[in-house]
Amino acid sequence: MAYKSPFSKRLKEARGALGISQKRLGIAAGIDEFVASARMNQYETGKHVPDFNMSQKIAKVLKVPAAYFYTTDDGLAELIRIYGKLSEKNQCRLKALIKEME
């Protein structure tokens, strides 16, 4: 399936990894329960893209940095996802390591 935006692809991946329904995700992100499933479906199919405030709420529920949704590069998306799970100390260590490799 061709995705219309990186957001829709990443959203579907992150939601699938967490194993929650579109409706449950939408409700947890603050969308009215009666439209939550439909709205998430529109985001996943690329029909609509949420504003940044909503993308931050979705990211928080899915436990990924909001930046994860906006990269077209699969490798970078994975690095962003991993970085977001690291402690602050390990984030600093990773940044130092990357700077050494530069």
Side-chain angles (χ1 to χ4, degrees):
M1 173 181 185
Y3 291 94
K4 296 179 181 179
S5 74
F7 189 94
S8 61
K9 178 182 179 183
R10 302 284 173 230
L11 174 60
K12 189 168 186 164
E13 291 171 349
R15 186 180 63 77
L18 204 56
I20 65 171
S21 69
Q22 290 175 335
K23 183 174 185 171
R24 188 167 151 215
L25 171 58
I27 292 169
I31 298 171
D32 183 276
E33 68 178 301
F34 297 106
V35 297
S37 181
R39 177 94 57 90
M40 285 298 118
N41 184 269
Q42 290 173 342
Y43 294 159
E44 282 190 13
T45 60
K47 184 173 182 178
H48 295 290
V49 177
D51 64 23
F52 191 69
N53 184 46
M54 177 53 69
S55 70
Q56 288 180 306
K57 290 177 183 179
I58 293 168
K60 185 174 183 178
V61 174
L62 294 175
K63 301 176 180 147
V64 296
Y68 170 81
F69 294 128
Y70 297 99
T71 181
T72 57
D73 183 290
D74 291 339
L76 181 56
E78 181 67 5
L79 289 174
I80 291 169
R81 188 192 64 74
I82 292 167
Y83 180 85
K85 293 189 181 297
L86 297 175
S87 67
E88 188 175 330
K89 179 181 177 183
N90 283 335
Q91 286 177 349
C92 289
R93 291 174 58 200
L94 180 59
K95 287 186 275 189
L97 177 62
I98 291 170
K99 285 181 183 180
E100 281 180 31
M101 295 171 71
E102 215 172 8

